[in-house]
Amino acid sequence: MEWFEALILGIIQGLTEYLPVSSSGHLAIGANLFGLSGEENLTFTVAVHVATVLSTIVILWREIVWLFTDLFKFKWNEGTKYIINILISMIPVAIVGLFFKDKVEAIFGSGLLVVGICLLVTATLLAFSYWARPRQRENISPLHAFIIGVAQALAVLPGLSRSGSTIATGLLLGNKKERLAQFSFLMVIPPILGEALLDVKDMAEMGVSQAMAGISPLALAVGFLAAFISGCLACKWMISIVKKGKLIWFALYCAVVGTLTIVLPYVL
């Protein structure tokens, strides 16, 4: 992987992790265009995912400090309830990660058809959430946190946007837009870090030389910084977009990209 390829893919990861257009789907498309695969792609994926987690922490540091401050008061308060909801939301994705990891990885290697179909599903979800007008609820309940967690677990499929699925599901359930984006971004921190640890374990088993084959430290550093900086911008932007309810434009984008991803391989 050349440094300019890492730059492009890093920017794609940082932007699409937060914008509801599927980071995994866009990385799969980008990796396919650049001819990247196997251990080379795994090493890079771990680096850029960690970078986007750090960008979440930087943008939402006040909320994170508030959560831990309330937690260590050892009282049943708003911060404790919020953390409980995050833990509940992690249950579905933990089940998928522990028991279906190999099957999910097989889907990632099955080509771009799945990516295109899942992008169309993302477009449909975003469109429904835009036009739906359910009764508004003040706070995210434990049941809703679990349902949103199920949406996050399903979004392990390449092309099915994690942020798009969780935010759209929360909107369809009637949760307030102002709270959903922050909850969606905070709930993904533990699963991404957990997935990164599992990938690091796989890389350690294959050896440093094999894990770094085809990718230079410069390319990794460029990709990491690109994902971090673009992730910071996209995280802040997405919170504003959700508050304004402008998700329909992303639905149109996903519909176009999904259709092209399905059709173009048969045309070219």
Side-chain angles (χ1 to χ4, degrees), residues 85-95 145-146 149 152 187-188 190-191:
N85 281 343
I86 288 177
L87 292 175
I88 290 172
S89 74
M90 289 167 51
I91 294 173
V93 76
I95 293 172
F146 181 80
Q152 176 173 250
M187 68 184 278
V188 78

Side-chain angles (χ1 to χ4, degrees), residues 187-254:
M187 68 184 278
V188 78
I189 293 177
I192 286 183
L193 289 178
E195 182 183 359
L197 286 174
L198 291 175
D199 288 337
V200 168
K201 175 178 171 289
D202 292 340
M203 290 162 56
E205 290 175 353
M206 70 177 65
V208 176
S209 59
Q210 185 178 351
M212 292 294 294
I215 183 166
S216 67
L218 174 62
L220 271 181
V222 169
F224 182 91
L225 288 174
F228 174 75
I229 295 170
S230 60
C232 287
L233 296 173
C235 183
K236 204 163 187 178
W237 186 29
M238 187 60 191
I239 291 173
S240 174
I241 289 171
V242 173
K243 288 179 180 178
K244 295 176 182 177
K246 302 293 185 180
L247 296 180
I248 190 63
W249 300 110
F250 295 103
L252 294 172
Y253 172 83
C254 288

Side-chain angles (χ1 to χ4, degrees), residues 18 56-57 59-64 66-67 82 85-86 89 140 148 152 162-163 166-167 171 175-190 234-243:
Y18 299 103
T56 307
I57 294 171
I59 297 301
L60 298 178
W61 70 270
R62 289 186 179 86
E63 288 76 10
I64 294 171
W66 163 69
L67 289 175
Y82 203 103
N85 281 343
I86 288 177
S89 74
I140 298 172
I148 293 171
Q152 176 173 250
R162 188 206 59 78
S163 63
T166 54
I167 292 172
L171 290 174
N175 293 289
K176 284 195 171 182
K177 295 180 288 188
E178 294 81 1
R179 298 177 178 269
L180 266 175
Q182 289 183 358
F183 184 78
S184 173
F185 297 155
L186 289 171
M187 68 184 278
V188 78
I189 293 177
C235 183
K236 204 163 187 178
W237 186 29
M238 187 60 191
I239 291 173
S240 174
I241 289 171
V242 173
K243 288 179 180 178

Side-chain angles (χ1 to χ4, degrees), residues 26-101:
H26 280 73
L27 278 181
I29 294 170
N32 186 271
L33 291 174
F34 290 138
L36 304 175
S37 61
E39 292 82 3
E40 178 182 2
N41 201 20
L42 173 63
T43 306
F44 181 79
T45 300
V46 171
V48 294
H49 274 92
V50 172
T52 50
V53 167
L54 290 177
S55 67
T56 307
I57 294 171
V58 168
I59 297 301
L60 298 178
W61 70 270
R62 289 186 179 86
E63 288 76 10
I64 294 171
V65 169
W66 163 69
L67 289 175
F68 280 100
T69 301
D70 269 14
L71 177 65
F72 287 110
K73 288 179 181 177
F74 301 105
K75 295 179 180 179
W76 187 249
N77 49 41
E78 289 303 313
T80 305
K81 293 177 184 177
Y82 203 103
I83 290 176
I84 293 296
N85 281 343
I86 288 177
L87 292 175
I88 290 172
S89 74
M90 289 167 51
I91 294 173
V93 76
I95 293 172
V96 171
L98 290 173
F99 299 105
F100 301 100
K101 187 172 185 289

